């Protein structure tokens, strides 16, 4: 007796209720617009007659107390350490999904963007170190290593169908590996004063999360509690608290409760009554993994709220004659600017060429080396994570301000130059 076959609609991946890659790209593209608006508002506010109000707002202190434990931070640090933990949670979820069932699951497909990302991190860091060697500013070598996925994907979105889909996937995979590298850099090189008792507590939270993955009937509330405890332990233990988000993202289960092939697509679209609507929600949740579901729920919040608020809190750089002179005379600012504008495309292009020449990888269909260089230029949009690392790397406010100004100028230049280069190389590929 032949086993019944699942409905055709259910086996068609394009009919999935949540389409992770499409959903991710669309949200990042739209979120990039709000990110740019947040940065523009911050710049305008910081350079307006009400600039004092901007500084007072983000230096306002707020705290939490639990028995003898008290945590008091200013609003900027609550955004950078607290809200950005949710941003890094989504990054962790996307990295895990891509590694398990996405574009990075196949070694032959993953090796090229991985090597390209490595080149795109090492060359900018080397340029920064070469320019700042012998100064206290050399600690900022991690600033020009990062790529802002939202803005880079947003620029590609503006170019529309003129960009080959393989090029979009290549840039996204590269940026995801880039994010993984940035996370490692933050955790290893921008953490200090380790408190081993608190870190032992963090280890207990991780073990508890591993146990909960297998035994908890309702995983989300348990993960929220454990994630909050992990955040506190890392914050007090000397490791940047946002790493808690990444860890919880990696620990989130990637298996669905019910295989999608066993669910009739017609059941998922039946909204004829309240009962059917509730059943649809239950079926939808059971047909996707916790990774996909949490990313689907949280990604709009990070892209449309958290990252724009982060830009509003951190992009308020004073731009006047004195600030520009300070940036022009700052080795750190030049290291950041050249690292993003020159180091990124050179590192990505050279690493790609070497990988293909050595036979370790092949260029995706519809992508040539000129397109890789153009996409590498777009990868020079550092913004979010670059600003984030700037806050960790520099203690001198003048150096930090110069580096932030360099990030803003270089990211804008990379967006404009990258868009023009991608458009031109796309025309060449089509033979127009």
């Amino acid at each position: 007796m032949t086993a019944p076959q699942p409905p055709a609609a259910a086996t068609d991946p394009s009919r999935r209720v949540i389409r992770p890659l499409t959903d991710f790209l669309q949200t990042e593209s739209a979120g990039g617009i709000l990110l740019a608006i947040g940065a523009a508002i911050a710049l305008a506010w910081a350079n307006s007659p009400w600039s004092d109000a901007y500084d007072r707002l983000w230096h306002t202190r707020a705290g939490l107390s639990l028995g003898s434990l008290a945590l008091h931070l200013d609003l900027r640090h609550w955004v950078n350490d607290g809200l950005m933990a949710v941003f890094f949670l989504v990054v962790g979820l996307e990295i895990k999904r891509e590694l398990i069932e996405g574009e990075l699951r196949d070694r032959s497909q993953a090796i090229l963007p991985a090597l390209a990302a490595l080149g795109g991190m090492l060359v900018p860091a080397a340029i920064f170190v070469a320019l700042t060697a012998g100064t206290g500013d050399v600690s900022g070598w991690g600033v020009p290593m990062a790529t802002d996925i939202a803005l880079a994907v947003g620029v590609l979105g503006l170019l529309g169908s003129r960009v080959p889909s393989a090029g979009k996937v290549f840039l996204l995979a590269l940026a995801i590996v880039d994010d993984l590298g940035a996370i490692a850099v933050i955790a290893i090189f921008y953490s200090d004063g380790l408190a081993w008792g608190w870190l032992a507590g963090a280890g207990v939270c991780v073990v508890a999360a591993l146990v909960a993955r297998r035994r908890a009937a309702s995983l989300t509330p348990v993960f929220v509690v454990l994630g909050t405890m992990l955040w506190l332990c890392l914050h007090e233990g000397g490791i940047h608290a946002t790493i808690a988000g990444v860890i919880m993202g990696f620990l989130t289960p990637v298996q669905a409760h019910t295989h999608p092939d066993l669910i009739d697509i017609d059941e998922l679209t039946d909204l004829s009554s309240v009962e059917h609507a509730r059943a649809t929600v239950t079926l939808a949740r059971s047909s996707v993994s916790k990774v996909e579901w949490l990313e689907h729920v949280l990604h709009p919040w990070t892209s449309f709220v958290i990252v724009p608020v982060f830009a509003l809190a951190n992009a308020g750089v004073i731009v006047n004659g004195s600030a520009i002179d300070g940036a022009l005379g700052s080795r750190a600012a030049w290291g950041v600017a050249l690292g993003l504008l020159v180091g990124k495309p050179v590192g990505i292009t050279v690493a790609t060429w070497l990988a293909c020449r050595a036979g370790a990888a092949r260029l995706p269909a519809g992508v040539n080396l000129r397109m890789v260089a153009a996409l590498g230029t777009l990868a020079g949009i550092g913004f979010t994570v670059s600003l984030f690392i700037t806050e960790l790397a520099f203690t001198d406010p003048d150096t930090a301000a110069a580096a932030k100004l360099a990030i803003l100028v270089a990211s804008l230049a990379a967006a404009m130059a990258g868009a023009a280069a991608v458009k031109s190389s796309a025309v060449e590929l089509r033979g127009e």
Side-chain angles (χ1 to χ4, degrees), residues 34-47 311-312 315 383 408:
L34 290 180
L35 170 58
I37 292 173
I41 293 174
L43 278 171
W45 192 355
N47 290 278
L312 184 63
F383 205 78
L408 296 177

Side-chain angles (χ1 to χ4, degrees), residues 20-305:
L21 181 59
T22 302
D23 193 36
F24 186 87
L25 287 170
Q26 290 176 345
T27 303
E28 284 292 308
S29 182
I33 298 173
L34 290 180
L35 170 58
I37 292 173
I41 293 174
L43 278 171
W45 192 355
N47 290 278
S48 73
W50 303 279
S51 58
D52 288 343
Y54 178 86
D55 289 331
R56 284 197 305 271
L57 171 64
W58 298 111
H59 283 94
T60 301
R61 295 188 70 79
L64 296 173
S65 297
L66 182 62
S68 60
L69 178 65
L71 187 61
H72 295 277
L73 303 171
D74 62 32
L75 287 184
R76 179 176 284 121
H77 280 91
W78 278 117
V79 171
N80 293 354
D81 293 5
L83 289 182
M84 287 298 284
V86 182
F87 166 80
F88 280 105
L89 168 61
V90 173
V91 170
L93 292 170
E94 177 59 19
I95 290 173
K96 181 169 185 178
R97 192 195 65 76
E98 289 292 333
L99 288 172
I100 300 300
E101 56 185 27
E103 298 301 324
L104 301 178
R105 73 187 184 281
D106 186 341
R107 179 183 174 277
S108 62
Q109 292 180 339
I111 191 168
L112 184 62
L115 292 174
L118 182 62
M121 290 185 285
L122 293 179
V123 175
I127 289 175
F128 187 94
V129 170
L131 289 174
T132 60
T135 72
D137 298 340
V138 73
S139 60
W141 57 269
V143 174
M145 293 175 65
T147 294
D148 192 298
I149 298 180
L151 291 176
V153 170
V155 173
L156 285 183
L158 294 176
L159 296 174
S161 59
R162 286 173 288 189
V163 183
S165 58
K168 295 179 181 179
V169 171
F170 175 80
L171 180 62
L172 177 62
L174 181 153
I176 288 171
V177 176
D178 191 290
D179 272 348
L180 186 59
I183 290 164
V185 166
I186 292 169
I188 298 170
F189 299 101
Y190 292 106
S191 299
D192 54 13
L194 300 181
W196 294 105
W198 282 103
L199 294 182
V204 171
C205 292
V206 171
V207 172
L210 288 171
V211 173
R213 287 194 338 162
R214 301 187 178 187
R215 300 188 178 181
S218 181
L219 186 61
T220 301
V222 176
F223 261 43
V224 169
V225 173
L226 291 174
T228 303
M229 293 173 61
L230 177 61
W231 181 92
L232 179 61
C233 288
L234 292 180
H235 185 277
E236 297 299 307
I239 293 179
H240 202 274
T242 51
I243 301 301
V246 180
I247 293 173
M248 297 308 293
F250 287 167
L251 291 175
T252 303
V254 77
Q255 295 84 14
H257 291 295
T258 304
H259 197 281
D261 289 351
L262 302 178
I263 296 177
D264 189 341
I265 195 68
D266 292 330
E267 294 183 60
L268 290 175
T269 57
D270 185 0
L271 304 177
S272 58
S273 67
V274 173
E275 289 74 17
H276 281 111
R278 288 174 178 167
T280 294
V281 172
T282 302
L283 282 171
R285 288 183 175 178
S286 66
S287 68
V288 297
S289 67
K290 280 290 183 181
V291 165
E292 288 186 22
W293 185 257
L294 283 176
E295 188 176 355
H296 180 71
V297 171
L298 293 176
H299 195 194
W301 284 98
T302 60
S303 292
F304 301 147
V305 178

